[in-house]
Amino acid sequence: MTSLPKNPPKKKLGLVIDLDICVGCHACAVNCKEWNTGGHSAPLTDSDPYGADPTGVWFNRIHSFEVENDQTGGRTVHFPKSCLHCDDAPCVTVCPTGASYKREEDGIVLVNADHCIGCKLCSWACPYGAREYDEDAGVMKKCTLCVDKIYNPNLPEESRVPACVSTCPVGARSFGDLGDPESDVSRLVAKRGGYDLMPEQDCKPTNKYLPPRPKRTGAEGGSAAARLTPVADSSAGVLARWVDKFLSA
Amino acid sequence: MHPAKSVIFFTTASGAGYGLLFLLIAGDLLGLAPGGFWPAFTGYAVSYALITGGLLSSTFHLGHPERAWRALTQWRSSWLSREGVMAVLTFLPTGLYALHQLFFPERMPGITGVIGVIGAICCIVTVYCTAMIYASLKPVHAWSNRFVPAGYLLLSLMTGALVLNALFALFGPPSPVFLILALLSLIAALVWKISYWRFLDGTKSLSTPESATGLGEFGRVKLFEAPHTEANYLMKEMGFQIARKHAMKLRRITLTLAFVLPLLLTLLALFVGGSLAAAALILALLNAAIGIVTERWLFFAEARHTVGLYYGAAHA
Ligand code: SF4
Ligand code: SF4
Ligand code: SF4
């Protein structure tokens, strides 16, 4: 049934991605691939993986953007993007077969690979480019929010989070119920001014992005120059001077 | 958007087929079509060949053509599904009417008139559904506007009329009513196409690299590094871009072949008679066929998808 759930899901599981923290290491994309190539929508087919023109199915991709500003100078922002599990998911309503659906119990958007005819219309309807066509299987695939991990009774409680979340080395990804205003993720979004991508497309995405914090200037005491002043001068002890010499060599 | 051959053939062929079918039925209902079995028989045969050929070709680009029947189930929400359902339904009233007209023309109870009207309406609704598949896609600014359904309907009528005139010319002198109809639809479609291109050149999607990333408050956003070194599915399917110079050349080809030449040739057929008129009408159809395929190719190639904003496009 590709109509959206009649009763909009109360529980809205999703991700909060902190653009201030993300270092663009691609670890979440790699672990996403690792988990999901054995999961709900397995395999995540690659073609020509070691050849000249490798392509393949990835549910999570890391873009890097340059933000130019004449006043404040430029900055680089690493930007992971996966399915945003939208409230008004156009990928679901355009699907002619009922293969695409949004779960009433938690809002997760999934594809039933046994019903998908591979018409690709859902990938045209998603403004974010979150759908992935598997040329080999002839069906559409996408981020499952690791539905086979977050509810997996065989895993210890603390491991029941999406693969991308558990693997992020800097903690830039959080997972939780964005439908509950009291949840940790909702509080985080409220505190940091989390926002929707392309609100003008009216998809009401569940996933939220946290903006980079304003650049710190020297006046606030955190500038690089200040931190690099030598730790020791001639009045320091021998050991301190030796350490300083060693470190600045 | 990537211009897939199967989809171009599907939309142009089935568009012409439904236009022709509509004109055959409407022409017979109004008593405008030339009499005789063979012109009508050939007309129906060609229209069903175009429609069925188009529908079959549209299943070629599916990953699982054998499951295509499932596409008939989600008509409540999906225009693609509605299109499929209408395509199947249209066969019924139009087929009944064609059988009646061809084989039992003398018996004309009121009910066949009703079936004919239903059939003609079904043709229009089916083409409208095809157009709405595109017009309902908000991420593609070039498509999600009111020009698109109007254009699909007009071009369907226009190509249907050109096929009809070329076919009827094989059997006898062309009918002035259908020649004038073709001329009017050619002019309307030409005006529509020029206004569409004007609209396209002067408009931009609301979505920008800034709104796509939400980073606009910090400055101008430019792609620094793409996620992968090689093109992925999204870039191949949605990131297709055509150079402006090439687009302009193809627009001129479209204008000439799809509209201007068929217009002049149909006009010629209106004034000369006999085999010269027939030759002009067949030539008009051949020109229009190449022109419309170019038009449809451009319809895809010139359309930009918002996903491009994540891959370096400055606007969508
Ligand atoms: S991000 Fe795209 S694929 Fe995911 S729910 Fe929204 S529209 Fe659908
Ligand atoms: S590709 Fe599959 S999931 Fe997507 S719209 Fe077509 S049938 Fe539905
Ligand atoms: S939630 Fe799971 S499937 Fe989605 S991007 Fe993260 S790891 Fe991949």
Side-chain angles (χ1 to χ4, degrees):
Chain A
M1 188 61 211
T2 55
S3 296
L4 293 164
K6 269 198 206 71
N7 312 308
K10 282 204 189 59
K11 192 170 170 188
K12 296 198 231 168
L13 296 185
L15 303 174
V16 175
I17 295 168
D18 192 337
L19 299 180
D20 191 63
I21 306 185
C22 175
V23 291
C25 70
H26 292 240
C28 55
V30 174
N31 201 31
C32 168
K33 180 108 172 168
E34 172 77 23
W35 174 266
N36 283 288
T37 204
H40 174 277
S41 300
L44 267 56
T45 318
D46 286 317
S47 59
D48 198 18
Y50 303 105
D53 187 20
T55 82
V57 178
W58 292 77
F59 292 168
N60 185 13
R61 298 177 190 270
I62 322 304
H63 304 242
S64 297
F65 291 97
E66 194 170 32
V67 187
E68 296 174 331
N69 189 316
D70 300 335
Q71 270 88 53
T72 59
R75 66 194 296 167
T76 306
V77 179
H78 302 291
F79 188 92
K81 182 166 60 62
S82 50
C83 170
L84 309 163
H85 298 278
C86 307
D87 268 0
D88 282 347
C91 58
V92 169
T93 50
V94 298
C95 175
T97 62
S100 272
Y101 61 103
K102 185 170 178 70
R103 298 179 8 142
E104 198 164 334
E105 63 267 40
D106 52 16
I108 298 180
V109 174
L110 290 174
V111 179
N112 175 350
D114 295 333
H115 287 192
C116 172
I117 55 173
C119 68
K120 303 179 181 168
L121 191 60
C122 53
S123 68
W124 296 7
C126 167
Y128 305 103
R131 299 223 150 208
E132 295 278 321
Y133 187 65
D134 184 333
E135 297 281 350
D136 250 33
V139 295
M140 200 53 78
K141 299 185 172 178
K142 65 179 288 301
C143 157
T144 62
L145 206 63
C146 291
V147 69
D148 41 12
K149 191 165 184 280
I150 58 177
Y151 293 114
N152 196 327
N154 300 318
L155 296 175
E157 184 82 43
E158 66 275 15
S159 294
R160 293 181 208 161
V161 292
C164 54
V165 172
S166 58
T167 209
C168 178
V170 291
R173 305 174 73 95
S174 314
F175 163 73
D177 179 5
L178 287 144
D180 170 10
E182 298 306 317
S183 69
D184 287 350
V185 278
S186 297
R187 285 172 198 271
L188 183 61
V189 169
K191 187 170 136 221
R192 290 280 308 284
Y195 60 84
D196 289 350
L197 303 183
M198 288 198 272
E200 69 279 5
Q201 292 285 334
D202 296 326
C203 300
K204 306 209 186 84
T206 299
N207 287 11
K208 299 284 181 273
Y209 283 74
L210 306 182
R213 291 186 172 89
K215 263 193 181 173
R216 281 183 292 185
T217 60
E220 286 158 26
S223 86
R227 281 198 305 274
L228 283 180
T229 28
V231 289
D233 55 26
S234 54
S235 67
V238 176
L239 187 62
R241 263 184 290 154
W242 182 79
V243 168
D244 184 45
K245 205 168 165 191
F246 178 77
L247 286 177
S248 39
Chain B
M1 301 293 294
H2 170 69
K5 281 187 218 74
S6 57
V7 178
I8 292 176
F9 180 74
F10 156 61
T11 55
T12 51
S14 73
Y18 285 116
L20 176 61
L21 191 55
F22 170 83
L23 288 173
L24 286 167
I25 295 175
D28 190 57
L29 281 172
L30 301 173
L32 297 171
F37 174 82
W38 287 110
F41 179 82
T42 323
Y44 283 117
V46 169
S47 74
Y48 284 122
L50 285 169
I51 292 167
T52 323
L55 289 175
L56 282 180
S57 114
S58 76
T59 64
F60 290 163
H61 85 288
L62 297 181
H64 282 277
E66 80 286 0
R67 300 179 187 162
W69 62 269
R70 288 196 186 273
L72 303 177
T73 59
Q74 302 303 314
W75 47 270
R76 283 185 209 83
S77 72
S78 160
W79 281 104
L80 177 52
S81 187
R82 287 174 195 160
E83 200 266 340
V85 171
M86 278 313 298
V88 173
L89 283 185
T90 303
F91 280 113
L92 196 69
T94 58
L96 279 177
Y97 191 84
L99 288 179
H100 146 77
Q101 183 189 339
L102 293 172
F103 301 107
F104 315 100
E106 62 287 348
R107 263 172 287 160
M108 181 70 182
I111 186 85
T112 47
V114 175
I115 291 176
V117 172
I118 294 177
I121 293 174
C122 282
C123 293
I124 302 176
V125 175
T126 310
V127 175
Y128 180 73
C129 290
T130 309
M132 285 310 291
I133 298 174
Y134 303 101
S136 65
L137 294 174
K138 210 166 174 192
V140 186
H141 187 58
W143 292 351
S144 71
N145 55 68
R146 66 206 153 79
F147 283 97
V148 170
Y152 268 78
L153 289 168
L154 266 178
L155 291 180
S156 166
L157 182 71
M158 180 194 106
T159 47
L162 289 169
V163 179
L164 184 97
N165 284 332
L167 278 181
F168 282 3
L170 300 175
F171 295 97
S175 127
V177 183
F178 285 116
L179 288 183
I180 291 170
L181 183 78
L183 285 174
L184 292 178
S185 63
L186 277 161
I187 294 169
L190 175 66
V191 171
W192 164 78
K193 191 79 242 190
I194 292 174
S195 348
Y196 174 72
W197 281 330
R198 279 211 173 159
F199 159 79
L200 209 57
D201 293 341
T203 181
K204 265 187 199 150
S205 165
L206 277 178
S207 298
T208 58
E210 286 75 27
S211 76
T213 56
L215 297 172
E217 59 168 308
F218 300 103
R220 294 178 304 277
V221 177
K222 262 181 24 190
L223 184 68
F224 176 64
E225 221 171 29
H228 297 269
T229 51
E230 309 303 317
N232 58 32
Y233 161 73
L234 301 163
M235 295 160 78
K236 289 180 196 157
E237 182 79 4
M238 261 99 42
F240 185 95
Q241 271 188 29
I242 175 175
R244 174 109 185 129
K245 207 172 71 197
H246 293 161
M248 290 303 128
K249 199 184 271 171
L250 288 170
R251 282 187 186 185
R252 284 194 291 277
I253 294 178
T254 302
L255 283 185
T256 317
L257 291 183
F259 307 109
V260 177
L261 285 179
L263 199 72
L264 295 176
L265 288 163
T266 308
L267 207 57
L268 179 71
L270 195 58
F271 293 107
V272 300
S275 50
L276 189 58
L281 291 172
I282 290 167
L283 204 58
L285 175 61
L286 292 179
N287 276 314
I290 304 171
I292 285 299
V293 169
T294 318
E295 186 271 344
R296 207 52 47 89
W297 192 90
L298 268 181
F299 177 72
F300 286 90
E302 286 198 291
R304 290 156 169 270
H305 193 285
T306 48
V307 69
L309 299 170
Y310 293 107
Y311 288 91
H315 59 92

